[in-house]
Amino acid sequence: MTARDEVLARIRTALGPDRPPPEIARDYRTTDERTVAELLAVLTDRLEDYRATVLRCAPDAVAATVAAALDAGLGAGWDPASVVTAPGLPGPWRPGGAAEDDGRPAAELAAFAATLTGVAVAIAETGTLVLDGSPLSGRRALSLLPDCLVCVVEAGQVVSGVPEALTRLDPAAPLTMVSGPSATSDIELNRVEGVHGPRTLLVVLVA
Amino acid sequence: MSHVFLGIPTAPRGVGHLRGDRPFPEAAREALRDGQLRANLGHATSTIRAKRAAVVGELPDWEQLRAAGRAIKAATMARLDEHLLELEARVTERGGTVHWARDAAEANAIVTRLVRDTGADEVVKVKSMATQEIGLNEALEAAGIHAWETDLAELIVQLGEDRPSHILVPAIHKNRAEIREIFLRTMPDVDPHLTDEPRQLAMAARAHLRERFLRAKVAISGANFAVAETGTLAVVESEGNGRMCLTLPQTLITVMGIEKLVPTWRDLEVFLQLLPRSSTGERMNPYTSLWTGVTDGDGPSEFHLVLLDNGRTATLADEVGREVLHCIRCSACLNVCPVYERTGGHAYGSVYPGPIGAVLSPQLTGVEDNASLPYASSLCGACYDVCPVAIDIPSILVHLRAEHVEAQTRLTPEAVAFKALAKAMSNSRLWRTAQKATRLGRLLARGRPILPATLPPPASQWTFSRDLPTPPKETFSEAWAREHRR
């Protein structure tokens, strides 16, 4: 008997023939009445609680706001060549001279100081950005290795809670949910920002 | 229904870390003498309790989420065989390979073979309870493969040649000064001016592991959830070490207990709300990674999933005890437990400490191999109140105590006493006589409300750790008869 057959046989023996699964009542909140403006305020509050920096701007001011975010993250006078963008990031959002992720070996991305990506969805209630491996979000290593991450979020991508976000995502895609900069609670259960992932998270919120 | 009758094997002896080398009361007595340990635990658990209460209180539908979490897990277990087969099919379709392991030894052998096949002599690891349970690091080491733990707390435990003492924060028993001392002693390139400021300690870990992440060929992880209908796996973490392991190496091996799955993608909407708020007391943990098989050009090109039994099916056979398989390893029950808070995790012997460990470990190993654990509780019920999937831990503790008592072949003084009590209580005349007889106890009390702890044996076995109230002058039924006498 293979291990597979044996484990399955054990499960069937353990459960017996009569095993109706219980009903699942989904009477928790799955939608929200709040307006977009309210959700943006909640998202900002949550992100700032995680010590991320949020910069709001109008759709025609994304490039300038991205530059301001990079000023905050890298210090004024940053080198555009030290910034790498997701391959599908809209041209007008990119700083002049920034590199584009061209699929080079992932470890080489560690040489960049900052990454600039879009997101698939943002969750207001938990302060979460979801990246889905699409050309706009970039592959997973891109938003991981450089020490500073700048994400551009558009108002239409913001949902209230986790249930709504999952309906917008493709389970087959490599998904990363990012809620603030890298952190740990391992020393005396106090949260400290910055371990292996990006130590600085900046969010450009376009509305 | 009992484990023994069905003949389903429990987790084998001699491999892994589910059994301590001495009973809980003995280990606990030693832990209680360690003032530093008690101070560290008291500080850490009170911090996390306050954080959890704040973020749980923020959700108006917490109880509905909790009920849904419980129901989803119960539904998963009712059709566990079917869901596992579905998971296997979806993972395979997406380019992954699924392996099945009856027990710890088989899982260790599978992982060791997979690592050897890659030619690597080292692996990076994401914190995982399953791989701790089976003693994977030791098995790899014996095969000449070094496992680098990358979670900060696991790293502290590994470098300090210590044992984990908490499900979420294995180094909870160490304070910042002790962690600094371990780093200075064991990290070859550490800055000698390292202070005990947590941020500096985190930076030292970052520097220590950075190159290892970039050069690693193989990573080993556990899984927080697996979705049967899509084949998606999830790892929930904070530091980014998980993302490093899940993204950079060419080969990823995930070891997962068979109970960790949920049937549908939608089910994650419940658990991704319950878990972070219960474990670290955050609205959401910094990073959650979800992957389905392999994705071209993004992450590992080879993915292996090892499904582990190791006593889980034996646990499933117990209609009362099977509820422990709903556990999502948040550790909220540890943080509220008055026993855990004082003894720490090492006293439990198993890698699963605290209230959940006291009901999980004895079932995975068979009650007689962890017979003292179901008694490591005051049955106060705080664990049940905070459990995000509403596992009735106190009832399972009592159930396992009964199983242990029934397994005894020799009569204990306690059993003799309770047999006599049962006889007295089943006959009103005998009972009244017995009640009168207890009044002799008033002589020992000398007017105090509690009898002295130093009764002669065998009564001292009972009074050593319990207060025995002085018998009243008059019982309730006597008082009733007197007051209502016509």
Side-chain angles (χ1 to χ4, degrees):
Chain A
M1 209 181 203
T2 64
R4 177 179 186 271
D5 292 344
E6 191 166 334
V7 171
L8 290 169
R10 288 175 185 178
I11 293 170
R12 288 166 190 150
T13 306
L15 291 171
D18 181 35
R19 37 168 158 146
E23 288 294 312
I24 300 162
R26 295 188 191 265
D27 51 359
Y28 48 84
R29 296 169 304 148
T30 50
T31 52
D32 204 297
E33 305 291 296
R34 282 175 284 191
T35 64
V36 173
E38 284 172 308
L39 290 181
L40 295 182
V42 172
L43 176 65
T44 304
D45 173 72
R46 303 304 195 238
L47 283 165
E48 287 175 346
D49 188 47
Y50 297 137
R51 313 239 167 98
T53 304
V54 181
L55 293 90
R56 297 276 290 258
C57 72
D60 59 358
V62 175
T65 314
V66 163
L70 288 164
D71 281 348
L74 301 178
W78 45 274
D79 174 10
S82 70
V83 177
V84 59
T85 75
L89 199 78
W93 291 2
R94 302 181 185 202
E100 180 181 295
D101 181 15
D102 51 9
R104 67 191 80 195
E108 290 178 21
L109 295 168
F112 288 98
T115 292
L116 177 61
T117 75
V119 305
V121 179
I123 309 171
E125 202 160 72
T126 59
T128 303
L129 314 177
V130 189
L131 285 76
D132 65 354
S134 65
L136 179 62
S137 294
R139 56 178 162 156
R140 287 175 285 177
L142 180 67
S143 54
L144 174 64
L145 289 172
D147 204 12
C148 171
L149 175 62
V150 181
C151 290
V152 181
V153 178
E154 294 178 283
Q157 297 178 306
V158 180
V159 299
S160 60
V162 176
E164 229 178 307
L166 291 189
T167 62
R168 292 203 188 188
L169 295 166
D170 173 10
L175 299 171
T176 307
M177 298 185 164
V178 176
S179 306
S182 154
T184 182
S185 301
D186 281 356
I187 300 165
E188 299 176 8
L189 279 174
N190 275 312
R191 185 178 158 117
V192 185
E193 282 75 24
V195 198
H196 302 293
R199 286 178 280 188
T200 308
L201 175 66
L202 299 130
V203 179
V204 174
L205 195 51
V206 187
Chain B
M1 209 183 287
S2 141
H3 300 147
V4 185
F5 282 112
L6 291 163
I8 299 176
T10 49
R13 292 181 188 159
V15 56
H17 302 289
L18 286 171
R19 294 166 176 86
D21 49 12
R22 53 194 175 152
F24 179 83
E26 207 181 307
R29 207 163 292 139
E30 188 179 303
L32 289 173
R33 280 197 288 266
D34 185 343
Q36 185 67 60
L37 174 76
R38 291 183 63 175
N40 295 353
L41 282 169
H43 172 67
T45 52
S46 57
T47 304
I48 196 71
R49 282 199 297 267
K51 284 174 70 180
R52 179 202 161 273
V55 294
V56 164
E58 200 175 273
L59 290 189
D61 53 350
W62 182 255
E63 285 307 321
Q64 285 89 329
L65 285 166
R66 206 169 161 241
R70 179 191 172 91
I72 291 168
K73 279 294 186 178
T76 308
M77 296 312 147
R79 292 274 183 271
L80 188 59
D81 47 347
E82 293 162 26
H83 295 311
L84 284 168
L85 288 173
E86 194 181 11
L87 176 74
E88 179 185 49
R90 297 291 92 76
V91 169
T92 310
E93 271 167 25
R94 293 276 310 184
T97 309
V98 178
H99 310 261
W100 299 69
R102 279 167 275 228
D103 56 34
E106 191 167 21
N108 287 336
I110 292 168
V111 176
T112 305
R113 177 175 53 78
L114 290 172
V115 177
R116 274 204 175 129
D117 287 350
T118 67
D121 61 1
E122 62 171 15
V123 299
V124 284
K125 277 190 72 201
V126 190
K127 177 179 152 30
S128 131
M129 291 310 298
T131 61
Q132 273 182 22
E133 171 191 325
I134 62 177
L136 179 64
N137 289 7
E138 292 87 336
L140 290 174
E141 211 67 57
I145 299 160
H146 184 72
W148 297 95
E149 290 291 352
T150 64
D151 168 77
L152 179 53
E154 285 287 3
L155 179 70
I156 294 163
V157 168
Q158 190 179 38
L159 292 176
E161 295 179 12
D162 199 351
R163 289 182 300 133
S165 72
H166 189 274
I167 290 174
L168 179 74
V169 193
I172 195 170
H173 56 289
K174 296 286 184 202
N175 66 21
R176 57 185 76 187
E178 293 167 304
I179 294 165
R180 169 177 175 268
E181 186 275 320
I182 291 171
F183 281 9
L184 284 177
R185 185 160 48 81
T186 59
M187 285 181 176
D189 303 323
V190 76
D191 174 4
H193 304 295
L194 183 73
T195 71
D196 65 3
E197 205 238 317
R199 195 176 163 82
Q200 275 209 26
L201 296 170
M203 286 309 101
R206 179 184 170 104
H208 180 70
L209 289 171
R210 190 80 177 174
E211 283 310 308
R212 294 193 175 94
F213 285 132
L214 295 176
R215 74 171 188 229
K217 300 262 182 291
V218 183
I220 296 174
S221 83
N224 291 96
F225 305 104
V227 181
E229 72 169 355
T230 60
T232 307
L233 284 125
V235 162
V236 171
E237 52 131 356
S238 295
E239 297 165 18
N241 64 307
R243 294 184 64 194
M244 291 280 186
C245 294
L246 300 171
T247 311
L248 296 179
Q250 282 118 41
T251 301
L252 171 62
I253 304 167
T254 299
V255 182
M256 184 189 102
I258 52 170
E259 82 284 18
K260 296 251 107 177
L261 82 181
V262 294
T264 70
W265 173 249
R266 194 184 170 187
D267 296 332
L268 288 180
E269 72 187 16
V270 175
F271 294 104
L272 290 179
Q273 295 191 74
L274 290 172
L275 180 54
R277 289 180 199 256
S278 298
S279 59
T280 49
E282 291 168 303
R283 295 181 175 113
M284 191 64 96
N285 50 291
Y287 298 128
T288 297
S289 295
L290 297 139
W291 74 96
T292 307
V294 295
T295 303
D296 207 25
D298 191 340
S301 52
E302 212 181 307
F303 171 53
H304 296 275
L305 175 62
V306 182
L307 298 173
L308 174 73
D309 181 347
N310 208 39
R312 285 163 177 77
T313 49
T315 306
L316 189 66
D318 187 308
E319 281 173 25
V320 177
R322 68 168 60 138
E323 210 182 319
V324 302
L325 298 174
H326 300 181
C327 173
I328 56 172
R329 309 282 189 266
C330 71
S331 70
C333 63
L334 278 61
N335 301 333
V336 298
C337 177
V339 176
Y340 176 87
E341 189 182 357
R342 284 162 182 83
T343 65
H346 291 160
Y348 293 79
S350 161
V351 293
Y352 300 109
I356 190 65
V359 286
L360 179 60
S361 311
Q363 296 200 81
L364 294 177
T365 61
V367 175
E368 291 314 294
D369 276 16
N370 266 307
S372 64
L373 290 185
Y375 298 91
S377 166
S378 64
L379 301 179
C380 76
C383 47
Y384 184 20
D385 289 345
V386 296
C387 178
V389 290
I391 299 173
D392 184 356
I393 294 174
S395 294
I396 303 172
L397 286 165
V398 172
H399 170 74
L400 294 176
R401 289 179 187 185
E403 200 171 304
H404 169 62
V405 168
E406 270 160 31
Q408 299 315 301
T409 46
R410 279 193 320 166
L411 269 186
T412 60
E414 197 180 17
V416 172
F418 274 100
K419 268 207 167 91
L421 184 65
K423 193 166 175 85
M425 288 179 90
S426 56
N427 176 313
S428 62
R429 194 177 48 81
L430 266 180
W431 179 237
R432 273 196 298 273
T433 312
Q435 281 182 320
K436 287 208 176 81
T438 61
R439 251 165 250 166
L440 288 171
R442 295 182 63 78
L443 299 173
L444 290 169
R446 294 183 193 163
R448 282 186 299 258
I450 303 289
L451 289 178
T454 51
L455 290 183
S460 60
Q461 295 257 333
W462 182 271
T463 53
F464 174 73
S465 58
R466 298 172 185 87
D467 288 339
L468 194 59
T470 300
K473 262 189 229 153
E474 185 178 48
T475 67
F476 175 79
S477 44
E478 285 165 348
W480 181 274
R482 178 171 50 76
E483 283 174 23
H484 295 76
R485 197 172 287 147
R486 273 177 256 163

